[in-house]
Amino acid sequence: MEIEISLNGAALDGWMRAFRDMPAKAKREFGNGLSDGGLKLRTQVRLALRAQMSTRTAAPINMRTPSKLDRGRLTFTIMGVGKGLPINAFPLRLSRSKRAMVRWSPRQHWRLQPRNASGQFGAIQDTPEAAVSATLWGSVHAFQRSFVGPRGPRAVRGGEKGRIRQLYGPAVSKELVRDQSLIAFRRGVVEIIEPSIARRLAALVPQ
């Protein structure tokens, strides 16, 4: 997903008519103002994304929100790339219950299997508690069939013999065009981009 600021059409034509005697310089300053404001707006969008997704730090958001300026088309694009963030990027809560920690572990679940007089294992004693919970979108979400193994938090997909999977949270690519991020973008176009361009163009006007 990506969100783009585009300076063309009627809005651009109006400005260019005002600067018809210096179109090349005007367009260059349009691009400079768009670049200056675009970078500041990208920062605001990143801050909104972090609050929206509840990541522990800004780093995973910043890494997945590159931007590009196209001076020919006069566009500044903020992109959201990648799949869901690793669950370690979010505040985690690991259960202290030994039962919850080993219930779905492929190597330790036998600890919950009672033995009969002959030493044979019985059925696994189930536990409703999830071993891993994470704060996503501002609230705590529990991962069912989760456990903490040598490689960190994991979960079992499906039933007893399901495949072990890594745990992921929301993806920047999807969150970029939603909720707080989208609001910050729309507000920034008016409060950041337009003043930034105006300051650049003002330098072309003789005092």
Side-chain angles (χ1 to χ4, degrees), residues 15 19 22 25-37 39-40 71 192-205 207:
W15 279 100
F19 291 90
M22 54 183 88
K25 290 182 179 180
K27 188 170 184 179
R28 183 178 66 245
E29 292 307 316
F30 258 103
N32 291 338
L34 183 58
S35 178
D36 295 343
L39 293 175
K40 292 178 181 178
R71 289 183 177 273
I192 299 175
I193 297 296
E194 292 181 2
S196 177
I197 293 172
R199 284 192 295 270
R200 286 284 186 169
L201 293 177
L204 296 177
V205 180
Q207 301 298 319

Side-chain angles (χ1 to χ4, degrees), residues 6 15 79 93 112 141 149 169 197:
S6 180
W15 279 100
M79 293 164 280
R93 184 169 66 186
L112 300 180
H141 294 256
I197 293 172

Side-chain angles (χ1 to χ4, degrees), residues 45-65:
V45 169
R46 286 173 169 175
L47 291 172
L49 276 171
R50 183 181 178 187
Q52 178 176 317
M53 298 170 65
S54 302
T55 58
R56 292 189 299 107
T57 66
I61 300 292
N62 296 346
M63 291 173 58
R64 291 165 176 81
T65 49

Side-chain angles (χ1 to χ4, degrees), residues 95-105 108-109 111-113 124-131 146-147:
S95 172
R96 295 183 179 181
S97 166
K98 292 183 179 180
R99 291 171 60 85
M101 296 293 282
V102 305
R103 169 62 183 88
W104 295 98
S105 171
Q108 298 188 59
H109 67 266
R111 297 178 183 276
L112 300 180
Q113 291 180 265
I124 299 176
Q125 296 178 4
D126 212 345
T127 174
E129 185 179 359
S146 58
F147 64 96

Side-chain angles (χ1 to χ4, degrees), residues 24-180:
K25 290 182 179 180
K27 188 170 184 179
R28 183 178 66 245
E29 292 307 316
F30 258 103
N32 291 338
L34 183 58
S35 178
D36 295 343
L39 293 175
K40 292 178 181 178
L41 177 53
R42 185 185 65 180
T43 297
Q44 295 304 308
V45 169
R46 286 173 169 175
L47 291 172
L49 276 171
R50 183 181 178 187
Q52 178 176 317
M53 298 170 65
S54 302
T55 58
R56 292 189 299 107
T57 66
I61 300 292
N62 296 346
M63 291 173 58
R64 291 165 176 81
T65 49
S67 61
K68 64 179 180 181
L69 171 70
D70 187 328
R71 289 183 177 273
R73 295 174 53 232
L74 286 179
T75 60
F76 187 93
T77 306
I78 302 172
M79 293 164 280
V81 299
K83 298 181 179 180
L85 295 180
I87 201 62
N88 288 332
F90 304 89
L92 288 179
R93 184 169 66 186
L94 307 180
S95 172
R96 295 183 179 181
S97 166
K98 292 183 179 180
R99 291 171 60 85
M101 296 293 282
V102 305
R103 169 62 183 88
W104 295 98
S105 171
R107 296 187 178 183
Q108 298 188 59
H109 67 266
W110 60 269
R111 297 178 183 276
L112 300 180
Q113 291 180 265
R115 299 190 185 192
N116 60 23
S118 302
Q120 297 174 319
F121 284 107
I124 299 176
Q125 296 178 4
D126 212 345
T127 174
E129 185 179 359
V132 181
S133 299
T135 300
L136 312 171
W137 300 291
S139 59
V140 177
H141 294 256
F143 289 86
Q144 300 304 314
R145 299 185 295 275
S146 58
F147 64 96
V148 180
R151 296 184 178 181
R154 295 290 189 274
V156 175
R157 178 186 290 113
E160 291 289 341
K161 297 182 179 180
R163 297 178 59 186
I164 296 175
R165 65 181 179 92
Q166 294 184 342
L167 298 178
Y168 294 94
V172 173
S173 57
K174 294 182 178 180
E175 296 296 316
L176 180 65
V177 293
R178 297 175 179 172
D179 304 328
Q180 294 167 256

